[in-house]
Amino acid sequence: MSARHAASNLELLAIYEVSKILGSSLDLQQTLREVLRLLSYQLQMHRGRIYLLGEDAVMRLVAANGLSNEQAGQVEFREGEGIIGRILKTAMPAVVPNLADEPLFLNRTGGRDDLEEQVASLVGVPIKAAGSVIGVLTIDRISDDGPTTHFGTDVRFLTMVANLIGQTVRLHRTVAEERRFMMRETFRVQKELRAAPPIADVVCTSPAMTDVLAQVHRVAPFKSTVLIRGESGTGKELIARAIHNLSPRKDNPFIRVNCAALPETLLESELFGHEKGAFTGAQKDHKGRFELASGGTLFLDEIGDISPNFQAKLLRVLQEQEFERVGGSRTIKTDVRLICATNLNLEEAVGKGKFRADLYFRINVVSIFLPPLRERRDDIGALAKHFVAKFNKDNGLTLALANEAQDVLNRCPWPGNVRELENCIERAATQSRDGIIRAVDLSCAMNLCNSSILFQYSTMGSAVGGLAPATAVHAAHSAAAPSPAPPPAKAMPATAPALPPILPSTAPSGCAACPSAPSAHAAPPSIPAPDPAEAAEALAEEPESGSLRDRLLWAMERTGWVQAKAARLLGMTTRQVSYALRKYDIEIKRF
């Protein structure tokens, strides 16, 4: 009784170990070999073999003790062939007490030439999944005293192991099928994109933008309303125009309205039109954009900036496709496809009551999100070369972009996105002297980076003029090129002469995106931050009143004519100090 109990405990432990092995790896063949090794080590089950049924209805050996993967791959059985084929056909376990007396034993795996010296028994069970046989598990029992008749325990135990193997194989095959499906879909989409007409001025190689273009091609043939979302400068209007050009409406008008650029009263007149005499200055009938775009596409940019009152008027047009002109009573029918765009968080605006939920659901039928440029850095190089080529074409030049300049561009977080990159390339092209745009030609090398200037006016987490929030840009900058935070600056006294006030922010002076770019005015990297005690002593000596020229001279002399140190003492940026020195014609001393 105790021996039987010990054997049961050993089998239970083996089942537990088998389950752990089956869930430990995605390599199915290696996992199955580990299971057979465990059976051999713990239960003395020799010559374990696992066969799996292929899609061609052939049973192949996939794991075997004592055989390499190449040797195992050459062994196969068909239904009804040998012992393995009989188990496959009958879906029932099979026990062969003595392989030497079994005519169905084909010995295809070799190694059984010793049957005259010892008795080898075989136990085989079907591997099932979802009620179907998908494989066979076999083991050998070796005895020197003749065949035994007690195989019931082995059959029961191996059936449990086979069930675990069956579920694992089914899971692996399901995952593999889903992976093949995804690969086929990816290949199909890429093939469609290659076969589809190119989208003008859309330059991209990143997977994120490839998905966006796939969405554009899928949604273009329909009339569904599209909401394009993304930060300012990501190319929302370009995508809207692409949807129109790929749609059946491409020969009809594409009308664009910037909702943020017009006050509510003027926006209503622009969209719906007005009758003669509707208000002062309305000297004749005026067709609105909904009327002009009939049969085509109307693109409402910055839809999130319209007032709550106008949202209600717009909702009716979207629902009924009809409206009245301002000052008129005649109902006008229209047939437009609406494409909207915004850089705002509409869900947050709905939650705060600033945007109507019913209008949100009406315009958010198909949503396309344009990722910011910092999240698709694979596109920066291609876009930069595209803008250089565009500048060359517009100006009849043959400029080239140096690798060093490209490296600097790749490190930038680009809060202004593609629009900012285009402007940066154009400014750098105008500074090029030898036909090559180098790193020193970029704005950040001259402390003139627009992003840096703008973000000095931003507070942490806020956005500047629709650009990326400062937190997002600084997080991207920290991940790409971490640098120590600048020391806190002393605020300008209230009596200081007027220069643009700079609010303290986490963005360092100059280009926060390109810390390693050379700068004409910034302090060299080797200059350390001033000692706190020394800074306090210096600030105590600072004149409390006087002209900006006197304060500049004091700061420059106090810091050894290093502009970056003087800027920190005065609570200014290096660029402001440089500008003030030129303005007051102060000659910089060289040591």
Side-chain angles (χ1 to χ4, degrees):
M1 188 70 180
S2 59
R4 185 180 304 175
H5 182 69
S8 299
N9 287 341
L10 186 60
E11 291 176 356
L12 182 60
L13 178 61
I15 289 291
Y16 171 70
E17 293 296 333
V18 166
S19 64
K20 286 203 306 182
I21 292 173
L22 292 175
S24 64
S25 173
L26 294 177
D27 187 341
L28 179 61
Q29 195 170 27
Q30 179 62 30
T31 300
L32 296 180
R33 291 174 68 91
E34 290 293 332
V35 169
L36 295 180
R37 192 174 293 115
L38 173 71
L39 298 182
S40 175
Y41 176 74
Q42 288 198 356
L43 301 176
Q44 288 75 49
M45 294 181 173
H46 302 281
R47 288 175 52 89
R49 302 287 189 263
I50 295 178
Y51 305 82
L52 292 181
L53 189 65
E55 295 181 357
D56 55 357
V58 175
M59 189 79 75
R60 291 182 174 84
L61 182 60
V62 296
N65 280 341
L67 293 180
S68 65
N69 292 338
E70 292 75 14
Q71 292 172 323
Q74 299 175 5
V75 179
E76 58 184 43
F77 290 89
R78 298 183 182 276
E79 183 177 312
E81 189 176 20
I83 301 173
I84 307 301
R86 187 175 65 180
I87 296 175
L88 172 64
K89 182 177 182 180
T90 61
M92 296 293 292
V95 175
V96 180
N98 191 346
L99 287 175
D101 299 333
E102 177 56 57
L104 289 178
F105 177 59
L106 304 179
N107 196 23
R108 286 187 176 173
T109 61
R112 271 293 171 238
D113 299 328
D114 56 349
L115 296 181
E116 295 181 357
E117 303 174 2
Q118 57 184 359
V119 176
S121 306
L122 181 142
V123 180
V125 295
I127 299 174
K128 297 181 180 180
S132 300
V133 177
I134 63 171
V136 172
L137 166 64
T138 68
I139 59 97
D140 286 3
R141 286 292 196 183
I142 306 300
S143 174
D144 296 329
D145 303 328
T148 178
T149 58
H150 304 292
F151 293 106
T153 302
D154 284 346
V155 171
R156 184 175 64 253
F157 172 76
L158 290 177
T159 300
M160 290 188 288
V161 174
N163 288 337
L164 292 176
I165 293 175
Q167 296 302 317
T168 302
V169 171
R170 183 185 181 191
L171 177 61
H172 276 258
R173 288 182 172 178
T174 301
V175 172
E177 179 58 33
E178 291 178 353
R179 185 178 301 168
R180 286 193 294 270
F181 173 78
M182 292 300 298
M183 293 178 65
R184 289 195 298 267
E185 280 295 294
T186 302
F187 177 77
R188 182 185 62 80
V189 170
Q190 291 175 345
K191 184 178 179 181
E192 290 178 357
L193 287 177
R194 288 193 295 267
I199 299 178
D201 296 327
V202 176
V203 178
C204 67
T205 58
S206 64
M209 280 304 296
T210 301
D211 291 342
V212 169
L213 297 187
Q215 283 184 281
V216 169
H217 283 283
R218 285 196 295 266
V219 75
F222 307 103
K223 189 183 174 181
S224 305
T225 302
V226 178
L227 177 62
I228 304 175
R229 313 182 71 166
E231 295 175 6
S232 179
T234 50
K236 295 188 287 294
E237 182 178 351
L238 199 63
I239 295 300
R241 192 176 294 275
I243 294 174
H244 170 76
N245 291 337
L246 294 172
S247 73
R249 299 169 175 258
K250 61 183 179 181
D251 296 325
N252 295 321
F254 175 82
I255 305 295
R256 175 189 179 277
V257 179
N258 189 333
C259 299
L262 300 172
E264 180 180 343
T265 53
L266 187 55
L267 182 61
E268 184 177 2
S269 175
E270 275 298 308
L271 289 180
F272 305 143
H274 61 257
E275 299 285 349
K276 179 180 179 180
F279 50 83
T280 303
Q283 300 178 357
K284 60 180 181 179
D285 292 349
H286 172 72
K287 288 185 177 182
R289 302 297 179 92
F290 270 100
E291 200 168 347
L292 293 173
S294 186
T297 303
L298 179 62
F299 176 52
L300 298 183
D301 199 5
E302 308 299 348
I303 187 71
D305 292 327
I306 62 177
S307 66
N309 290 334
F310 191 73
Q311 291 174 25
K313 299 175 183 178
L314 182 61
L315 182 63
R316 185 213 163 189
V317 182
L318 300 183
Q319 289 176 335
E320 308 296 337
Q321 289 280 299
E322 60 182 29
F323 60 94
E324 292 85 30
R325 292 176 180 171
V326 177
S329 57
R330 181 172 62 93
T331 299
I332 299 174
K333 287 280 188 180
T334 186
D335 175 26
V336 299
R337 181 187 191 167
L338 190 67
I339 300 178
C340 303
T342 183
N343 58 33
L344 300 179
N345 187 332
L346 291 185
E347 290 78 12
E348 181 179 350
V350 170
K352 293 181 178 180
K354 296 180 180 179
F355 200 85
R356 293 176 62 104
D358 46 5
L359 180 59
Y360 167 80
F361 290 118
R362 179 62 61 179
I363 65 175
N364 193 20
V365 178
V366 178
S367 184
I368 296 178
F369 174 73
L370 298 187
L373 190 55
R374 63 182 175 275
E375 294 180 5
R376 48 185 179 103
R377 293 188 173 274
D378 294 347
D379 294 338
I380 294 177
L383 285 168
K385 293 176 182 177
H386 169 75
F387 292 136
V388 171
K390 181 180 177 183
F391 183 87
N392 288 339
K393 181 179 179 181
D394 294 342
N395 297 276
L397 299 175
T398 57
L399 298 178
L401 186 66
N403 292 335
E404 60 185 83
Q406 183 66 68
D407 292 340
V408 174
L409 296 176
N410 288 336
R411 289 196 299 268
C412 293
W414 299 113
N417 295 295
V418 181
R419 183 184 294 120
E420 181 187 3
L421 174 60
E422 182 178 10
N423 293 341
C424 180
I425 292 294
E426 187 168 350
R427 285 196 303 272
T430 61
Q431 302 300 314
S432 176
R433 297 174 179 84
D434 57 358
I436 299 178
I437 301 175
R438 306 184 186 279
V440 293
D441 299 322
L442 299 175
S443 299
C444 54
M446 297 176 282
N447 260 1
L448 298 175
C449 179
N450 290 341
S451 297
S452 176
I453 297 171
L454 285 176
F455 280 105
Q456 291 182 65
Y457 289 87
S458 71
T459 57
M460 197 65 173
S462 66
V464 181
L467 301 183
T471 49
V473 174
H474 294 310
H477 164 52
S478 299
S483 61
K490 178 181 180 295
M492 291 280 290
T495 57
L499 272 178
I502 301 296
L503 299 178
S505 79
T506 56
S509 61
C511 180
C514 312
S516 61
S519 173
H521 306 294
S526 59
I527 297 177
D531 180 78
E534 179 185 352
E537 178 185 351
L539 292 175
E541 300 172 5
E542 179 184 356
E544 296 182 359
S545 60
S547 67
L548 177 60
R549 178 185 173 83
D550 293 336
R551 297 180 65 250
L552 277 171
L553 285 171
W554 165 82
M556 294 297 290
E557 291 174 353
R558 187 70 179 78
T559 59
W561 292 87
V562 177
Q563 296 181 38
K565 285 186 175 182
R568 286 195 287 269
L569 285 179
L570 295 174
M572 300 165 62
T573 65
T574 307
R575 181 171 175 267
Q576 287 176 316
V577 169
S578 177
Y579 170 81
L581 290 172
R582 292 196 301 271
K583 176 181 178 181
Y584 292 105
D585 197 23
I586 298 176
E587 182 180 356
I588 300 176
K589 295 181 181 180
R590 307 288 182 183
F591 297 97

